[in-house]
Amino acid sequence: MKQILKTNILILITSFLFNSNFNSQVRPDAVYGDYNGYWTSTNANGTLSRETNNLVGFTIGSTIYGTGADNSVLTSHGITNFVNENYKAFPSSFSVLSTANDFLIGQPAYANGVLQTNATKPNLSCDFSLAYYLRDGKNGLDLSTAIFNIPKQDLVYYVNVLADINPSCISDNIPDIIVTQVGEPHATFTDIFKFTDINGVTIGNEKAVAFSSATPVGKAQWNFYSASVACPYPFNSGFSNTPRDVRVLTFKLSDFGITLANYTSAVKFVQVLSGFSDVAFSAYSTNSMSLYCLENAVTTGTALDTRSGITSLNRAGAETVNNNWPMVRKGGYLALESNKKPFVITRSSTANLANITNPVEGMMVYDTTENCLKIYVNAAIGWRCYNKKTCP
């Protein structure tokens, strides 16, 4: 977006179709959001999105894809014949920041129909890391928040051993990854996307994307807050209340040369930012893969007391003798404490997991056959051993 003098938002949905570095992207014919209850657009002359707008669907040819962010937005407006996918934002973090005055946090210009100004919303708090704005909203798919002019760096996302790449999705002709560029793209610079092995060697082939070549499918109105200074991030009057075009592209796994022969080696998805990148989110289909991250915890803001606890140490209460327990254990819903009694969750053999009816995402058991803590991922993936940490 450099200097944000032109009006371009670019959303990219990665749908891996061909093996050419520059020509494999497919422009959706329409995108759908939940702005003002329901929003759809096919070009930059469509309805201007001015408030929160989560991506709920997109059309390629005659096929409509639901993102899973809120399918009711589609069905309540007569759109029922769609491919029910489920996309979630990659868990992102930044290794390089910037002191440039155009390093900015983008927010929707309006809230509840009211233009947000320096008087009504003078700053953004320290409660969230900058990377939070790349994965907020429904499933992290908020088109109306972003980081602009991110310094050149690699955003690395680790494919999780919980599920890895689902081989049945490699050639299913359904978009697998969503990436975004939501400001003025550089005329010639490209962002690069690729899968690599654990040592950073490219698996298959990388994709270099010149966002400037994408035709807009919509437009949005932005306010900006300066990310180049310490939080709370101040309102930037010079750039705010200005529109940007919305562009969307799609790719599939097979466009990266991911095959049945090499997919098990693809343990990282890497986004190489050009230094002019303006990202709202990058996302993946949970049917295609699962991700884990190594993001640092947020240490700013106010940590709330833990109000409930179970202890075997004969203490509970605000008195000094009880060490203000469990309130002293900050940020939890429940505290468990003992020096001789462990916490035991439900135990089950692998075979007996089939007897758990209607499992829900995130459900946990200890698998006595495989000797691991297992988490239920979804209906397509089922139960997987949990042995690498993940982000919400």
Side-chain angles (χ1 to χ4, degrees):
M1 181 184 83
K2 255 352 184 190
Q3 300 303 321
I4 321 182
L5 295 178
K6 297 182 182 177
T7 58
N8 293 2
I9 288 184
L10 188 70
I11 305 166
L12 197 77
I13 301 176
T14 343
S15 150
F16 318 128
L17 296 176
F18 308 101
N19 289 324
S20 165
N21 275 347
F22 289 94
N23 298 317
S24 59
Q25 58 262 28
V26 174
R27 176 188 181 275
D29 300 290
V31 290
Y32 305 89
D34 61 2
Y35 163 62
N36 204 26
Y38 176 74
W39 174 85
T40 183
S41 185
T42 60
N43 57 59
N45 297 320
T47 301
L48 179 69
S49 170
R50 305 195 304 177
E51 299 193 23
T52 297
N53 191 21
N54 295 282
L55 181 67
V56 300
F58 56 93
T59 298
I60 298 177
S62 60
T63 303
I64 299 174
Y65 298 92
T67 65
D70 193 343
N71 289 340
S72 67
V73 173
L74 300 176
T75 57
S76 64
H77 288 81
I79 302 173
T80 58
N81 187 23
F82 58 87
V83 177
N84 187 13
E85 277 294 297
N86 187 56
Y87 297 92
K88 289 188 176 181
F90 283 108
S92 302
S93 61
F94 297 128
S95 59
V96 181
L97 300 179
S98 173
T99 57
N101 65 356
D102 59 359
F103 182 42
L104 301 165
I105 303 168
Q107 295 275 285
Y110 284 72
N112 299 318
V114 178
L115 176 64
Q116 302 300 287
T117 65
N118 189 43
T120 58
K121 192 175 182 180
N123 56 59
L124 297 179
S125 74
C126 301
D127 290 343
F128 305 108
S129 67
L130 288 178
Y132 166 81
Y133 298 102
L134 303 191
R135 53 183 173 82
D136 56 346
K138 298 175 181 178
N139 284 7
L141 306 184
D142 191 349
L143 302 177
S144 58
T145 64
I147 303 296
F148 287 74
N149 295 314
I150 303 171
K152 186 171 183 177
Q153 60 190 284
D154 293 359
L155 300 182
V156 180
Y157 314 113
Y158 288 76
V159 177
N160 193 356
V161 295
L162 271 175
D164 301 316
I165 291 176
N166 185 344
S168 66
C169 295
I170 292 175
S171 58
D172 63 1
N173 203 35
I174 295 175
D176 298 295
I177 294 177
I178 301 174
V179 297
T180 61
Q181 159 67 28
V182 292
E184 179 194 356
H186 191 277
T188 58
F189 285 8
T190 62
D191 281 15
I192 296 173
F193 304 92
K194 59 185 177 181
F195 284 91
T196 76
D197 64 14
I198 193 63
N199 297 313
V201 177
T202 299
I203 301 298
N205 48 266
E206 66 182 31
K207 291 297 173 183
V209 177
F211 290 122
S212 59
S213 65
T215 302
V217 296
K219 190 182 290 289
Q221 194 86 357
W222 291 85
N223 276 349
F224 294 99
Y225 294 80
S226 297
S228 58
V229 299
C231 63
Y233 305 108
F235 187 86
N236 192 306
S237 301
F239 293 127
S240 290
N241 194 26
T242 53
R244 302 289 185 276
D245 288 346
V246 177
R247 294 176 173 87
V248 181
L249 302 175
T250 69
F251 290 89
K252 288 183 82 292
L253 284 170
S254 54
D255 282 330
F256 292 98
I258 300 300
T259 67
L260 293 176
N262 65 17
Y263 80 93
T264 57
S265 297
V267 299
K268 301 178 187 178
F269 182 70
V270 182
Q271 179 176 356
V272 183
L273 301 178
S274 68
F276 290 79
S277 303
D278 314 307
V279 180
F281 60 80
S282 298
Y284 63 98
S285 167
T286 62
N287 294 327
S288 301
M289 68 189 80
S290 180
L291 277 289
Y292 76 90
C293 75
L294 303 174
E295 182 178 345
N296 293 329
V298 175
T299 57
T300 57
T302 302
L304 301 178
D305 291 346
T306 299
R307 295 294 186 179
S308 300
I310 301 173
T311 178
S312 65
L313 301 184
N314 298 317
R315 64 170 183 167
E319 298 83 8
T320 302
V321 67
N322 292 318
N323 297 312
N324 195 36
W325 195 91
M327 291 75 76
V328 69
R329 306 301 182 208
K330 303 295 184 182
Y333 289 105
L334 175 69
L336 304 178
E337 179 185 67
S338 180
N339 57 9
K340 58 184 178 181
K341 294 183 178 182
F343 171 63
V344 181
I345 69 168
T346 301
R347 296 162 59 84
S348 172
S349 66
T350 301
N352 283 337
L353 289 176
N355 296 326
I356 300 176
T357 59
N358 300 319
V360 297
E361 184 177 330
M363 185 178 285
M364 294 187 297
V365 299
Y366 184 82
D367 189 319
T368 56
T369 304
E370 297 190 34
N371 295 320
C372 70
L373 178 66
K374 277 192 171 179
I375 293 181
Y376 183 77
V377 181
N378 55 40
I381 295 169
W383 296 90
R384 290 293 184 271
C385 288
Y386 179 70
N387 53 12
K388 290 187 179 179
K389 66 181 182 178
T390 186
C391 291

